[in-house]
Amino acid sequence: MTDGIAWLAEPQSIAFGGYSVTLARGLGVEELAARIAASAQWSERTVEPVGELTGDGLVEALDSEYGDAWDGIGLRLGVSGAWTFAVAYGGWFGEFRDDPAISEGEAEVFLVEYEEENGKPVPPTFRYHRDGRRVCSFNLHLDDSWGNGQVIGDPEVAGKVEELLSAEGLPDQERADREVHRTVLGVLERHFGLTLPRGLVLEAPLPAVLIAE
């Protein structure tokens, strides 16, 4: 069974602190993990498999390895239909570049991310890269809290996304942020066919790796 991605808008939908989910078409799980590791901001990272783990199991592995899960980064990996996915755990916040190179070789890569406990506050974000190019990106609150709140990217793609958001009555500064967040994720899942299997992500063991220095 597959789900869309709108469920990510629920409070602590995957783990405390927010979510960071990468969905890719045209990449296997090992290649996706390697490309995520290669996009690290501050130092070279390696991918170290740690077996098949639940989300809680990976957090425990991070605690064991680093003393505190927030001091390390881990990914759980899987496949759902045409999509390969990677879900991040630990201290992933701000640790990776927004690098279109992650999609080189005619791949498509979508990233949805939300630092839920960041007090600045940082809105949830969406980024779409294709064949080494940035295609579309924006903040999912569609406000000026971080950047300008506009959908940017290739005119054809960004324009269609704006059209679909407008059909939902967005942007609308009177709506609650979480409602906007959920509605926008619903638009994206329908338009791009994005799916993430909720039961698998929340309950089942999946291949897990540490993104280690």
Side-chain angles (χ1 to χ4, degrees):
M1 178 179 178
T2 61
D3 300 277
I5 60 171
W7 64 272
L8 291 171
E10 296 179 9
Q12 298 183 23
S13 57
I14 291 180
F16 178 81
Y19 64 78
S20 178
V21 173
T22 305
L23 295 164
R25 191 154 45 194
L27 297 175
V29 291
E30 292 182 0
E31 180 63 20
L32 178 59
R35 292 189 182 200
I36 291 172
S39 70
Q41 291 265 32
W42 317 113
S43 61
E44 185 174 339
R45 300 269 184 164
T46 60
V47 177
E48 297 183 3
V50 289
E52 293 198 357
L53 299 172
T54 62
D56 288 344
L58 180 52
V59 171
E60 290 175 5
L62 288 166
D63 274 329
S64 176
E65 181 71 19
Y66 299 102
D68 188 322
W70 297 101
D71 291 334
I73 301 169
L75 303 175
R76 292 171 66 237
L77 306 159
V79 177
S80 175
W83 297 102
T84 302
F85 63 85
V87 180
Y89 295 79
W92 52 263
F93 315 100
E95 290 295 318
F96 299 96
R97 300 186 304 276
D98 177 18
D99 189 354
I102 197 171
S103 65
E104 286 180 346
E106 301 183 353
E108 291 183 281
V109 178
F110 297 80
L111 176 67
V112 283
E113 189 169 273
Y114 185 28
E115 296 182 33
E116 191 171 11
E117 303 302 321
N118 191 318
K120 292 183 181 179
V122 178
T125 57
F126 168 79
R127 298 191 289 274
Y128 171 25
H129 302 308
R130 183 176 63 211
D131 197 20
R133 298 186 306 108
R134 180 177 292 104
V135 177
C136 183
S137 63
F138 62 102
N139 96 55
L140 302 188
H141 286 163
L142 299 170
D143 61 16
D144 297 329
S145 64
W146 199 264
N148 62 16
Q150 302 296 310
V151 180
I152 61 174
D154 286 2
E156 182 177 350
V157 177
K160 182 60 178 178
V161 170
E162 285 186 317
E163 177 186 326
L164 294 170
L165 294 173
S166 179
E168 296 287 343
L170 297 174
D172 179 356
Q173 303 307 317
E174 300 302 314
R175 289 199 208 179
D177 284 345
R178 193 170 301 280
E179 180 186 348
V180 174
H181 184 182
R182 182 181 296 106
T183 301
V184 174
L185 286 175
V187 166
L188 295 171
E189 74 177 40
R190 292 189 296 273
H191 181 53
F192 294 109
L194 303 176
T195 64
L196 186 68
R198 183 177 185 174
L200 194 63
V201 170
L202 297 185
E203 300 170 10
L206 290 170
V209 300
L210 301 183
I211 304 298
E213 295 186 39

